[in-house]
Amino acid sequence: MKLNELTIKDASGGLRQKKFSVSELVSNFLQAIKEKNSELHAYLEVFDDALDEAKKADEMLGVVNHEERMKLPPLFGIPLAIKDNILIEGKKCTAGSKILENYIASYDATVIRKLKKQGAIFLGKTNLDEFAMGSSTENSAYVSTKNPYDLSRVPGGSSGGSASAVAGNLCIAALGSDTGGSIRQPASFCGIVGLKPTYGIVSRHGLIAMASSLDQIGPMAKSVEDAAILFDAIKGGDEFDSTAVKKESLEIGNWKLEIPERLKGVRIGIPKEYFGAGLDADVKKVIEAVIGKMESSGAIIKEISLPHSEYALPTYYIVVPSEISANLARFDGIRYGLSAATSYQLSATSLYEVYAKSRAYGFGAEVKRRIMLGTYTLSAGYYDAYYVKAQKVRRLIRQDFEHALNATDVILGPTAPTPAFCFGEKADNPLQMYLADIYTVAANLAGVPAISIPAGFVEREGKKLPVGLQLAGKWFEEGKLLGIAKAAEII
Ligand code: GLN
């Protein structure tokens, strides 16, 4: 096996046993990126200091004895990719937008600080839909990332760059962010594992905000175990994020994988609403086959109902634009990035023109659409009818999960209604694009953790395309969710 095909677990074992050095590991990735990134466009930027960091890690490895080496943190020397809406001090952070084209982060996101503390190596920043709005990465202001399984298809989105980088062996694992499915849906399209953690369990400090009441950073990896290692490294309270868990509560501090024995006795709820007309027939077959195998392994399969499912997408598309319109007000041409005040080409002559021209030029169509929608839903005359109503429905959706998860251990369904689609297929039709997240948005509205794991393949035009299945669990029960996912991964 080539070094760039290893999992975190194997690479970390190999480093400890001195089978290879961090520099060799990192060089392998840099070589793979050189060969394949011009085709996949997974990375927006590859860091030229990655090899220097690797050499520093090797120097440190050189001076520790065997016993100390075995005690190193699991991510020591592990090359990772980071979605380009997460800040790394001194590095560009574009959020896939022209408005932040030359913006350099002045501090590390909390998750980055935690990864640095473990000694992880950052290879670069990955492409995304502008400000994480989209389901295909086609909304990036820079380039369209390709799906390694079929270059004529999208990798999903908005964390499409991270998904493509992991699936294409251009990093060992990556961080993504998920507001309505942006970790899970691209994981499904690219045949990898993606976890959206419980809202509040991972700090959002240093994540460029899209919709603050839903955004979560999470791991994208080649196996459930790797996702668990990465999750373990980034989770926990943070004084910089008032919505992050207050302190390392016992439950979270002692977080561990709970792997059930052969799924025996695990109660799996299958929401009937997730298997309706919108679901592709081949995807349905793949998911049903896995459910059958789980049942043979001793799982208890129960049909359940999430009665407000049909309102999840409409609710999401009121709450999200509302929060976007507020969050993106800070990009005014004064405080961050691109400014019409200093641009010869945009030549603003008044303060109003600085605002208007910076935003008109800096934002893409989808971002503008959502800012306008959100401004409307929050405006005095419509606030009660739209925003307040959506918050009430959000509560009902959360209650659906509460009821269902009182009677089951996890809820299982497809991650996405279809396999990866072709470039341009939905790009001109926002409503069609929004439907790609029909099964993922509810977990964000409810705040529960949800994971996508590879379930099998379907064939399209002679090519095998991955299909993911989604498992959702109870708030803060990542240990159990990941354990069941790991058991399901190998059946
Ligand atoms: N595709 C969804 C959207 O466009 C989800 C995005 C996300 O999770 N960041 O809003």
Side-chain angles (χ1 to χ4, degrees):
M1 202 181 221
K2 293 192 196 137
L3 290 186
N4 63 324
E5 291 172 6
L6 295 175
T7 58
I8 295 179
K9 197 167 168 242
D10 294 338
S12 156
L15 287 175
R16 275 166 185 64
Q17 286 150 19
K18 291 193 167 174
K19 285 191 186 152
F20 44 81
S21 66
V22 181
S23 305
E24 280 172 291
L25 186 61
V26 168
S27 304
N28 253 268
F29 281 101
L30 293 175
Q31 185 58 34
I33 291 169
K34 212 175 192 178
E35 284 163 18
K36 279 167 71 184
N37 196 52
S38 55
E39 180 172 81
L40 291 178
H41 296 293
Y43 285 91
L44 286 175
E45 184 186 356
V46 181
F47 297 151
D48 46 21
D49 60 0
L51 204 53
D52 295 337
E53 294 298 320
K55 283 181 189 149
K56 279 189 218 156
D58 281 329
E59 277 166 27
M60 181 166 161
L61 276 178
V63 296
V64 295
N65 62 30
H66 179 78
E67 206 176 306
E68 286 167 328
R69 222 171 33 242
M70 290 303 165
K71 280 196 220 135
L72 285 169
L75 291 172
F76 185 89
I78 299 297
L80 302 175
I82 305 295
K83 185 177 181 177
D84 201 22
N85 59 353
I86 299 172
L87 308 188
I88 302 180
E89 189 183 342
K91 304 285 187 197
K92 262 202 315 201
C93 193
T94 69
S97 180
K98 261 196 305 207
I99 211 161
L100 288 177
E101 193 165 8
N102 296 312
Y103 170 68
I104 294 180
S106 54
Y107 64 96
D108 280 332
T110 297
V111 291
I112 297 298
R113 196 168 36 82
K114 291 187 174 199
L115 294 175
K116 280 186 176 173
K117 215 169 142 197
Q118 284 219 6
I121 309 277
F122 303 116
L123 292 170
K125 302 296 284 290
T126 54
N127 196 20
L128 68 156
D129 286 301
E130 187 174 3
F131 286 102
M133 301 175 202
S135 306
S136 66
T137 315
E138 290 166 291
N139 291 341
S140 165
Y142 300 104
V143 70
S144 282
T145 299
K146 304 213 156 88
N147 189 315
Y149 281 89
D150 178 349
L151 299 178
S152 68
R153 290 177 188 269
V154 303
S158 62
S159 315
S162 287
S164 178
V166 175
N169 294 316
L170 302 188
C171 63
I172 296 197
L175 288 186
S177 68
D178 191 312
T179 304
S182 281
I183 286 176
R184 291 160 287 157
Q185 184 257 20
S188 172
F189 282 12
C190 291
I192 63 165
V193 174
L195 169 72
K196 182 208 82 80
T198 304
Y199 183 78
I201 206 167
V202 175
S203 167
R204 292 180 292 107
H205 177 64
L207 166 69
I208 294 180
M210 176 183 166
S212 311
S213 77
L214 302 117
D215 298 341
Q216 272 293 279
I217 296 171
M220 305 178 78
K222 289 176 190 169
S223 70
V224 173
E225 204 164 7
D226 277 8
I229 294 171
L230 205 44
F231 168 69
D232 190 46
I234 61 173
K235 68 165 187 6
D238 184 11
E239 56 173 331
F240 295 118
D241 176 358
S242 61
T243 64
V245 280
K246 289 291 170 287
K247 55 179 176 341
E248 302 276 345
S249 73
L250 260 188
E251 206 182 342
I252 296 163
N254 290 338
W255 175 88
K256 66 175 190 323
L257 271 187
E258 289 168 33
I259 302 166
E261 202 186 315
R262 291 181 300 125
L263 293 169
K264 205 158 171 247
V266 173
R267 296 163 306 164
I268 296 177
I270 314 288
K272 59 173 190 257
E273 292 83 3
Y274 285 21
F275 290 81
L279 181 59
D280 176 277
D282 296 332
V283 171
K284 189 174 175 189
K285 268 191 222 151
V286 170
I287 305 294
E288 282 174 347
V290 178
I291 296 174
K293 279 196 211 161
M294 287 174 132
E295 197 164 21
S296 325
S297 308
I300 302 161
I301 308 291
K302 291 187 183 186
E303 190 184 88
I304 59 157
S305 176
L306 297 170
H308 297 93
S309 292
E310 63 173 306
Y311 304 113
L313 207 59
T315 303
Y316 177 87
Y317 277 102
I318 300 286
V319 173
V320 165
S322 302
E323 294 189 23
I324 286 171
S325 76
N327 270 329
L328 271 61
R330 75 191 70 179
F331 301 103
D332 57 2
I334 306 282
R335 281 175 283 197
Y336 300 92
L338 181 136
S339 176
T342 52
S343 154
Y344 172 70
Q345 195 190 358
L346 298 177
S347 61
T349 54
S350 67
L351 182 60
Y352 175 79
E353 267 190 25
V354 172
Y355 294 152
K357 288 190 171 176
S358 304
R359 289 167 70 85
Y361 180 78
F363 288 144
E366 183 61 25
V367 174
K368 286 178 187 159
R369 180 179 298 122
R370 294 193 193 199
I371 290 173
M372 284 194 278
L373 275 173
T375 307
Y376 180 81
T377 53
L378 290 179
S379 60
Y382 298 101
Y383 179 80
D384 288 334
Y386 292 103
Y387 185 71
V388 173
K389 189 71 158 200
Q391 293 292 25
K392 289 179 179 167
V393 182
R394 182 174 184 178
R395 161 63 71 181
L396 295 174
I397 290 165
R398 187 185 161 95
Q399 280 169 0
D400 281 358
F401 276 86
E402 214 168 302
H403 292 149
L405 289 164
N406 279 338
T408 57
D409 294 304
V410 284
I411 297 172
L412 182 154
T415 304
T418 63
F421 44 87
C422 292
F423 286 99
E425 210 177 309
K426 299 177 200 275
D428 299 329
N429 187 339
L431 287 181
Q432 275 301 315
M433 192 67 93
Y434 296 170
L435 281 170
D437 299 303
I438 186 123
Y439 304 127
T440 48
V441 296
N444 301 74
L445 290 167
V448 294
I451 187 168
S452 179
I453 60 170
F457 292 90
V458 296
E459 213 177 290
R460 290 287 185 277
E461 290 148 11
K463 293 219 165 91
K464 279 173 79 181
L465 301 178
V467 167
L469 75 76
Q470 175 174 236
L471 297 168
K474 248 194 193 160
W475 297 268
F476 300 106
E477 288 192 353
E478 268 81 357
K480 184 167 161 185
L481 177 67
L482 284 158
I484 296 171
K486 184 166 160 52
E489 182 181 40
I490 48 174
I491 63 169

